[in-house]
Amino acid sequence: MLTAAQIRAARALLGWSQPALAAAAKLSLPTIVRMESQQGPGRSAAANVEAVQRALEDAGVCFIAPEGSGGGGPGVRLKHG
């Protein structure tokens, strides 16, 4: 499951604004704002979380799961071009 921090970090790596992510994921801006808030994506519909993840991955983001981070927790990075 994605975290709010991962979504914010992924956007930062891409230089995307919240409206840009909303457009790429075909979701409303309030949905993106809510997913990045303290409530996090866990309160969103699974299809919305998948849409955000897919949009970010299509743009070149790799999500790092907590168990794959060497003890550093969940994270993000850009794919090698």
Side-chain angles (χ1 to χ4, degrees):
M1 171 65 77
L2 295 182
T3 67
Q6 282 179 300
I7 297 170
R8 290 190 306 268
R11 269 195 320 101
L13 283 173
L14 296 171
W16 283 9
S17 63
Q18 287 179 325
L21 176 55
K26 297 181 175 68
L27 297 172
S28 70
L29 179 57
T31 297
I32 299 301
V33 170
R34 188 173 47 255
M35 289 175 77
E36 290 189 358
S37 74
Q38 189 175 9
Q39 292 178 13
R43 302 273 318 246
S44 295
N48 290 349
V49 176
E50 290 170 10
V52 166
Q53 183 169 350
R54 187 173 40 256
L56 293 168
E57 287 176 341
D58 287 350
V61 171
C62 294
F63 290 94
I64 303 166
E67 56 275 359
S69 66
V76 294
R77 66 177 177 193
L78 289 176
K79 294 178 185 174
H80 290 285

